[in-house]
């Protein structure tokens, strides 16, 4: 018996529904890089790690907002019309999930960056260091996606 077919595949409509929902929750590094390069103002990228880790290197254009400090008071300054894309170190870290959870619980629209900083660096997207989000380099706006 086929190992793949041991559990029957979903109907095309079930697959469509599931995959649409999955894409609603996540963004990948290439999509986020494209939006940052084109200065899409509807998204804000949040580095949910500690300030020390943020200073040591972060996505160019991301703001630092550690998930441990997120609450109703600290998020009051955030624009509720934006979509917040959270990230942390990578798939072995759940800081982005905790940040997205806290923001969603407070009424914000959120997505998580698949693979976090690890996948961002692996794909060669621009980085920034220090306390500032950093300016997107013009030379980085033509990145190619391998998928």
């Amino acid at each position: 018996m086929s190992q793949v077919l041991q559990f029957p595949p979903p109907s095309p409509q079930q697959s469509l529904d599931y995959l649409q929902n999955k894409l609603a929750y996540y963004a990948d590094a290439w999509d986020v890089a494209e939006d940052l390069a084109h200065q899409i103002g509807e998204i804000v990228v949040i580095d949910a790690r500690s300030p020390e880790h943020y200073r040591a290197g972060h996505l160019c254009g991301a703001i630092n907002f550690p998930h441990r400090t997120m609450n109703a008071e600290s998020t009051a300054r955030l624009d509720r019309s934006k979509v917040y894309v959270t990230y942390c170190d990578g798939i072995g870290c759940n800081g982005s999930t905790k940040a997205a959870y806290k923001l969603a619980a407070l009424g914000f629209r959120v997505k998580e960056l698949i693979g976090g900083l690890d996948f961002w660096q692996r794909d060669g997207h621009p980085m920034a260091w220090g306390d500032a989000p950093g300016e997107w380099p013009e030379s980085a706006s033509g990145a190619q996606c391998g998928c």
Side-chain angles (χ1 to χ4, degrees), residues 1-71:
M1 173 174 209
S2 166
Q3 294 300 306
V4 171
L5 299 176
Q6 182 178 2
F7 298 94
S11 71
Q13 187 60 51
Q14 288 171 314
S15 290
L16 182 63
D17 293 343
Y18 168 77
L19 296 168
Q20 183 175 357
N21 284 330
K22 184 177 177 181
L23 290 169
Y25 293 103
Y26 300 100
D28 70 7
W30 188 83
D31 290 341
V32 171
E34 281 291 299
D35 280 3
L36 290 173
H38 292 97
Q39 299 178 346
I40 303 298
E42 291 87 4
I43 69 162
V44 175
V45 180
I46 292 180
D47 184 318
R49 303 173 304 149
S50 71
E52 296 77 24
H53 283 92
Y54 179 82
R55 281 192 289 276
H58 56 271
L59 276 68
C60 190
I63 63 169
N64 185 223
F65 195 169
H67 70 87
R68 296 181 193 283
T69 66
M70 291 180 178
N71 58 43

Side-chain angles (χ1 to χ4, degrees), residues 46 63-80 102-103 106 108:
I46 292 180
I63 63 169
N64 185 223
F65 195 169
H67 70 87
R68 296 181 193 283
T69 66
M70 291 180 178
N71 58 43
E73 281 182 39
S74 66
T75 60
R77 63 181 169 83
L78 297 179
D79 183 344
R80 291 185 178 273
K102 289 177 180 180
L103 290 171
L106 292 165
F108 293 93

